[in-house]
Amino acid sequence: MRFSRAASVVLFAFVLSASAASADRPFDRSSLARISAAWDQHAREFHVPSYTVEVVTHSHVIYRHSYGGRDCAARKIPNSSTIYYIASATKPFTATAIMKLAQEKKVDLDAPVKKYLPRFELADARASETITVRDLLSHRQGLDSNKLEIGEAFIGGMEDDKFYRLLKQVQPRGKFRYSNLHYTLLGRVIEAVTGHRWSDYLQKAILSSAKMKRTVTSAAAIHQDTNSACDLEENGNSWRAATIQKTDRTMHAAGGLGSTADDLGRWMQLQLNEGRSGTTRLLSSASMKQMFSPAAEVGTQFFTFDRDSYGLGWYLGRYRGEKLIHHFGSFPGARSHLSFLPEHDVAVVVLMNEEDPVFYFVDAVASDIYDIALHLEPGEHWNKATEAVARSRRKIAERWQGFRPLLVSDLPQLSAETFYNSDWGTLTLAHEGEFVQSHIGDLPVPLYFNPQTKELGAEIIDAKFTAKTNQNSVIFQKGESLQLEFHRAN
């Protein structure tokens, strides 16, 4: 593509100019300013609403760059103090909180989870007694549950009785499987040990100590801040607020932070300084070494990044053969990238207020920066990202081909009512003008109708479900294995 070749020429010229840079300052601001013009060009081509970048070493900020519009009208320019929702990039913070409690002898990483959570019971009785806090930190026992993870991250209202009832249905896989459930359990461990909500403890013990003054643990704090990024989705040639938005009920220890490029730059410096933030030591070098040591084998690739293993709160892998420690986050309308090359004293933060179809944009920007830091010719990451955007757009366009939003007149028997499922929660149907609107708890569930085939469908977190209704129930079906059946509430 002409666009990708042009950007690569800019990057290659910069790589040559950077080759004489010093080890502790691998590139200078003026050089990064030249390559950032290529990022903006890619952002316009991909249709990215806004993003912000910060590059740091252990001692200083090398470069900051922002682009686009951060508000729902996509007009207000972001900066390094703009709060973005960071989703699963929260996990290293929760892991750090657990490590701090371990340092203080309040948590034993190798003790059974049941020591701290007496109600911890799985489908496997032996695993219920033996799975440890370290197992949760490293995802190495593979606990996952659609009902729990979707319930906590999207629907809300996950009270303890329901949580522990659903937990009893979870069968451990006995091997690595990344899931939010491990970290929402860790949030409950924090609460059991400290007597405070995980978010309050994180704010006091971690964020305040690291001087992360604009990092927040509630959705309301993000939405109400005058310098925050609205989570967006494409709407033709423009954007609109993402259909799915975070609420306070869906912020949790696996993905419950909003933060800024500046705050996250300080966070990455803490990693490069082995647990120190300025003159404050948050964790010991020994604790940091544990976090950055392999605890579970992974053996996959994410975009241009090899993932060899998972430590305690961080993926451990390689970029172009060089050791890379990283964690990313994604949610409708949000993508975050946190990574660093410890042996080259450079860390990268990239934040964006859109997810699909431009998912890999943040990772391609980081790949550019690391190519520069390593004095390598640019790789094929922009071509790879461009292909991914095209695939995603095709998938989105095809998902509801032949369908349109459900009208009240399409199914006059489907009145505004409430239905209930003990595992999934409350389904509400409402008439808003000529359209039927649907929610499961805090999760919007758009309904679609095919006038030709009379088929009814539902979109649940970017997945297409068929839908069937009668006087007493609404059933959503995906394939043969996943069925959500809601019955009329009495």
PDB file of all heavy atoms in Angstrom, residues 76 129 131 135 148 153 162 195 201 254 262 264 286 308 313 316 348 374 415 440 486:
ATOM      1  N   LYS A  76     -12.553  17.708  20.970  1.00  0.00           N
ATOM      2  CA  LYS A  76     -11.600  18.190  21.961  1.00  0.00           C
ATOM      3  C   LYS A  76     -10.320  17.370  21.900  1.00  0.00           C
ATOM      4  O   LYS A  76     -10.341  16.147  21.998  1.00  0.00           O
ATOM      5  CB  LYS A  76     -12.209  18.098  23.361  1.00  0.00           C
ATOM      6  CG  LYS A  76     -13.427  18.991  23.558  1.00  0.00           C
ATOM      7  CD  LYS A  76     -14.009  18.830  24.952  1.00  0.00           C
ATOM      8  CE  LYS A  76     -15.243  19.701  25.127  1.00  0.00           C
ATOM      9  NZ  LYS A  76     -15.870  19.505  26.457  1.00  0.00           N
ATOM     10  N   GLU A 129      -9.606 -26.767  47.601  1.00  0.00           N
ATOM     11  CA  GLU A 129      -8.765 -26.747  48.801  1.00  0.00           C
ATOM     12  C   GLU A 129      -7.317 -26.381  48.507  1.00  0.00           C
ATOM     13  O   GLU A 129      -6.599 -25.953  49.412  1.00  0.00           O
ATOM     14  CB  GLU A 129      -8.797 -28.129  49.475  1.00  0.00           C
ATOM     15  CG  GLU A 129     -10.184 -28.599  49.902  1.00  0.00           C
ATOM     16  CD  GLU A 129     -10.761 -27.755  51.026  1.00  0.00           C
ATOM     17  OE1 GLU A 129      -9.970 -27.192  51.812  1.00  0.00           O
ATOM     18  OE2 GLU A 129     -12.002 -27.661  51.103  1.00  0.00           O
ATOM     19  N   ILE A 131      -5.962 -24.666  45.342  1.00  0.00           N
ATOM     20  CA  ILE A 131      -5.591 -23.531  44.485  1.00  0.00           C
ATOM     21  C   ILE A 131      -5.147 -22.363  45.352  1.00  0.00           C
ATOM     22  O   ILE A 131      -5.806 -22.004  46.335  1.00  0.00           O
ATOM     23  CB  ILE A 131      -6.750 -23.149  43.551  1.00  0.00           C
ATOM     24  CG1 ILE A 131      -6.840 -24.167  42.410  1.00  0.00           C
ATOM     25  CG2 ILE A 131      -6.585 -21.737  42.989  1.00  0.00           C
ATOM     26  CD1 ILE A 131      -7.939 -23.913  41.418  1.00  0.00           C
ATOM     27  N   ASP A 135      -1.572 -19.003  42.138  1.00  0.00           N
ATOM     28  CA  ASP A 135      -2.278 -19.556  40.985  1.00  0.00           C
ATOM     29  C   ASP A 135      -3.179 -18.504  40.346  1.00  0.00           C
ATOM     30  O   ASP A 135      -3.268 -18.402  39.120  1.00  0.00           O
ATOM     31  CB  ASP A 135      -3.123 -20.758  41.392  1.00  0.00           C
ATOM     32  CG  ASP A 135      -2.290 -21.984  41.763  1.00  0.00           C
ATOM     33  OD1 ASP A 135      -1.187 -22.134  41.212  1.00  0.00           O
ATOM     34  OD2 ASP A 135      -2.757 -22.775  42.604  1.00  0.00           O
ATOM     35  N   LEU A 148     -19.856 -15.489  35.156  1.00  0.00           N
ATOM     36  CA  LEU A 148     -19.209 -14.603  36.127  1.00  0.00           C
ATOM     37  C   LEU A 148     -18.506 -13.439  35.443  1.00  0.00           C
ATOM     38  O   LEU A 148     -18.617 -12.287  35.878  1.00  0.00           O
ATOM     39  CB  LEU A 148     -18.211 -15.396  36.973  1.00  0.00           C
ATOM     40  CG  LEU A 148     -18.827 -16.250  38.082  1.00  0.00           C
ATOM     41  CD1 LEU A 148     -17.806 -17.213  38.660  1.00  0.00           C
ATOM     42  CD2 LEU A 148     -19.402 -15.373  39.182  1.00  0.00           C
ATOM     43  N   ALA A 153     -18.213  -7.781  34.400  1.00  0.00           N
ATOM     44  CA  ALA A 153     -17.630  -6.750  33.537  1.00  0.00           C
ATOM     45  C   ALA A 153     -18.663  -5.977  32.723  1.00  0.00           C
ATOM     46  O   ALA A 153     -18.396  -4.849  32.308  1.00  0.00           O
ATOM     47  CB  ALA A 153     -16.621  -7.386  32.579  1.00  0.00           C
ATOM     48  N   LYS A 162     -24.589 -14.676  44.762  1.00  0.00           N
ATOM     49  CA  LYS A 162     -24.644 -15.111  43.366  1.00  0.00           C
ATOM     50  C   LYS A 162     -23.256 -15.491  42.871  1.00  0.00           C
ATOM     51  O   LYS A 162     -23.077 -16.509  42.193  1.00  0.00           O
ATOM     52  CB  LYS A 162     -25.233 -14.004  42.503  1.00  0.00           C
ATOM     53  CG  LYS A 162     -25.356 -14.367  41.032  1.00  0.00           C
ATOM     54  CD  LYS A 162     -26.021 -13.238  40.261  1.00  0.00           C
ATOM     55  CE  LYS A 162     -26.137 -13.553  38.788  1.00  0.00           C
ATOM     56  NZ  LYS A 162     -26.807 -12.450  38.044  1.00  0.00           N
ATOM     57  N   GLY A 195     -10.163  -5.349  54.908  1.00  0.00           N
ATOM     58  CA  GLY A 195     -11.401  -4.784  55.418  1.00  0.00           C
ATOM     59  C   GLY A 195     -11.883  -3.589  54.636  1.00  0.00           C
ATOM     60  O   GLY A 195     -12.838  -2.905  55.038  1.00  0.00           O
ATOM     61  N   TYR A 201      -8.461   0.350  48.764  1.00  0.00           N
ATOM     62  CA  TYR A 201      -7.103  -0.055  49.138  1.00  0.00           C
ATOM     63  C   TYR A 201      -6.115   0.279  48.029  1.00  0.00           C
ATOM     64  O   TYR A 201      -5.015   0.792  48.294  1.00  0.00           O
ATOM     65  CB  TYR A 201      -7.050  -1.557  49.436  1.00  0.00           C
ATOM     66  CG  TYR A 201      -5.642  -2.001  49.796  1.00  0.00           C
ATOM     67  CD1 TYR A 201      -5.121  -1.746  51.063  1.00  0.00           C
ATOM     68  CD2 TYR A 201      -4.832  -2.626  48.853  1.00  0.00           C
ATOM     69  CE1 TYR A 201      -3.821  -2.110  51.383  1.00  0.00           C
ATOM     70  CE2 TYR A 201      -3.532  -2.995  49.173  1.00  0.00           C
ATOM     71  CZ  TYR A 201      -3.021  -2.735  50.443  1.00  0.00           C
ATOM     72  OH  TYR A 201      -1.736  -3.090  50.748  1.00  0.00           O
ATOM     73  N   ALA A 254     -10.254  -6.692  38.016  1.00  0.00           N
ATOM     74  CA  ALA A 254      -9.603  -7.182  36.801  1.00  0.00           C
ATOM     75  C   ALA A 254      -9.583  -6.134  35.698  1.00  0.00           C
ATOM     76  O   ALA A 254      -8.854  -6.285  34.715  1.00  0.00           O
ATOM     77  CB  ALA A 254     -10.327  -8.435  36.288  1.00  0.00           C
ATOM     78  N   ASP A 262       0.399  10.391  31.479  1.00  0.00           N
ATOM     79  CA  ASP A 262       1.403  10.831  32.459  1.00  0.00           C
ATOM     80  C   ASP A 262       1.455   9.906  33.667  1.00  0.00           C
ATOM     81  O   ASP A 262       2.538   9.508  34.120  1.00  0.00           O
ATOM     82  CB  ASP A 262       1.096  12.256  32.935  1.00  0.00           C
ATOM     83  CG  ASP A 262       1.654  13.317  32.000  1.00  0.00           C
ATOM     84  OD1 ASP A 262       2.459  12.970  31.115  1.00  0.00           O
ATOM     85  OD2 ASP A 262       1.278  14.492  32.157  1.00  0.00           O
ATOM     86  N   LEU A 264       0.473   6.798  33.851  1.00  0.00           N
ATOM     87  CA  LEU A 264       0.962   5.475  33.438  1.00  0.00           C
ATOM     88  C   LEU A 264       2.442   5.526  33.075  1.00  0.00           C
ATOM     89  O   LEU A 264       3.154   4.528  33.235  1.00  0.00           O
ATOM     90  CB  LEU A 264       0.127   4.949  32.273  1.00  0.00           C
ATOM     91  CG  LEU A 264      -1.322   4.610  32.670  1.00  0.00           C
ATOM     92  CD1 LEU A 264      -2.173   4.356  31.430  1.00  0.00           C
ATOM     93  CD2 LEU A 264      -1.383   3.413  33.611  1.00  0.00           C
ATOM     94  N   ALA A 286      12.988  -7.868  45.400  1.00  0.00           N
ATOM     95  CA  ALA A 286      12.660  -9.297  45.411  1.00  0.00           C
ATOM     96  C   ALA A 286      11.218  -9.532  44.968  1.00  0.00           C
ATOM     97  O   ALA A 286      10.922 -10.477  44.224  1.00  0.00           O
ATOM     98  CB  ALA A 286      12.901  -9.872  46.800  1.00  0.00           C
ATOM     99  N   ASP A 308       5.762 -15.629  25.907  1.00  0.00           N
ATOM    100  CA  ASP A 308       6.343 -16.892  26.351  1.00  0.00           C
ATOM    101  C   ASP A 308       5.654 -17.408  27.614  1.00  0.00           C
ATOM    102  O   ASP A 308       5.402 -18.605  27.759  1.00  0.00           O
ATOM    103  CB  ASP A 308       7.833 -16.724  26.626  1.00  0.00           C
ATOM    104  CG  ASP A 308       8.587 -16.238  25.404  1.00  0.00           C
ATOM    105  OD1 ASP A 308       8.185 -16.596  24.275  1.00  0.00           O
ATOM    106  OD2 ASP A 308       9.566 -15.491  25.566  1.00  0.00           O
ATOM    107  N   GLY A 313       0.906 -10.893  37.233  1.00  0.00           N
ATOM    108  CA  GLY A 313       0.312  -9.633  36.797  1.00  0.00           C
ATOM    109  C   GLY A 313       0.835  -9.104  35.486  1.00  0.00           C
ATOM    110  O   GLY A 313       0.343  -8.078  35.001  1.00  0.00           O
ATOM    111  N   LEU A 316       5.160 -12.028  29.981  1.00  0.00           N
ATOM    112  CA  LEU A 316       6.603 -12.011  29.763  1.00  0.00           C
ATOM    113  C   LEU A 316       6.860 -12.576  28.374  1.00  0.00           C
ATOM    114  O   LEU A 316       6.391 -13.673  28.051  1.00  0.00           O
ATOM    115  CB  LEU A 316       7.320 -12.853  30.817  1.00  0.00           C
ATOM    116  CG  LEU A 316       6.890 -12.612  32.273  1.00  0.00           C
ATOM    117  CD1 LEU A 316       7.591 -13.587  33.197  1.00  0.00           C
ATOM    118  CD2 LEU A 316       7.166 -11.172  32.686  1.00  0.00           C
ATOM    119  N   VAL A 348       6.683   2.115  27.052  1.00  0.00           N
ATOM    120  CA  VAL A 348       5.735   2.759  26.150  1.00  0.00           C
ATOM    121  C   VAL A 348       4.321   2.644  26.704  1.00  0.00           C
ATOM    122  O   VAL A 348       3.902   1.570  27.151  1.00  0.00           O
ATOM    123  CB  VAL A 348       5.785   2.121  24.745  1.00  0.00           C
ATOM    124  CG1 VAL A 348       4.718   2.721  23.837  1.00  0.00           C
ATOM    125  CG2 VAL A 348       7.166   2.294  24.125  1.00  0.00           C
ATOM    126  N   LEU A 374      15.645  -0.013  19.255  1.00  0.00           N
ATOM    127  CA  LEU A 374      16.568  -1.118  18.975  1.00  0.00           C
ATOM    128  C   LEU A 374      17.398  -0.882  17.724  1.00  0.00           C
ATOM    129  O   LEU A 374      18.207  -1.731  17.345  1.00  0.00           O
ATOM    130  CB  LEU A 374      15.775  -2.420  18.832  1.00  0.00           C
ATOM    131  CG  LEU A 374      15.002  -2.863  20.082  1.00  0.00           C
ATOM    132  CD1 LEU A 374      14.075  -4.034  19.759  1.00  0.00           C
ATOM    133  CD2 LEU A 374      15.961  -3.227  21.203  1.00  0.00           C
ATOM    134  N   SER A 415     -44.226  -6.841  24.107  1.00  0.00           N
ATOM    135  CA  SER A 415     -44.470  -5.586  24.805  1.00  0.00           C
ATOM    136  C   SER A 415     -43.305  -5.242  25.728  1.00  0.00           C
ATOM    137  O   SER A 415     -42.392  -6.036  25.933  1.00  0.00           O
ATOM    138  CB  SER A 415     -45.770  -5.682  25.611  1.00  0.00           C
ATOM    139  OG  SER A 415     -45.698  -6.750  26.535  1.00  0.00           O
ATOM    140  N   ILE A 440     -29.673  -6.241  29.510  1.00  0.00           N
ATOM    141  CA  ILE A 440     -29.499  -7.223  30.581  1.00  0.00           C
ATOM    142  C   ILE A 440     -28.695  -6.515  31.656  1.00  0.00           C
ATOM    143  O   ILE A 440     -27.495  -6.279  31.497  1.00  0.00           O
ATOM    144  CB  ILE A 440     -28.771  -8.486  30.118  1.00  0.00           C
ATOM    145  CG1 ILE A 440     -29.482  -9.133  28.926  1.00  0.00           C
ATOM    146  CG2 ILE A 440     -28.659  -9.487  31.266  1.00  0.00           C
ATOM    147  CD1 ILE A 440     -28.718 -10.307  28.325  1.00  0.00           C
ATOM    148  N   PHE A 486     -34.548 -16.270  29.380  1.00  0.00           N
ATOM    149  CA  PHE A 486     -35.142 -15.381  30.367  1.00  0.00           C
ATOM    150  C   PHE A 486     -36.653 -15.618  30.413  1.00  0.00           C
ATOM    151  O   PHE A 486     -37.303 -15.716  29.370  1.00  0.00           O
ATOM    152  CB  PHE A 486     -34.866 -13.921  30.016  1.00  0.00           C
ATOM    153  CG  PHE A 486     -33.417 -13.554  30.046  1.00  0.00           C
ATOM    154  CD1 PHE A 486     -32.590 -13.803  28.940  1.00  0.00           C
ATOM    155  CD2 PHE A 486     -32.849 -12.963  31.174  1.00  0.00           C
ATOM    156  CE1 PHE A 486     -31.252 -13.465  28.965  1.00  0.00           C
ATOM    157  CE2 PHE A 486     -31.496 -12.636  31.198  1.00  0.00           C
ATOM    158  CZ  PHE A 486     -30.714 -12.888  30.094  1.00  0.00           C
TER     159      PHE A 486
END
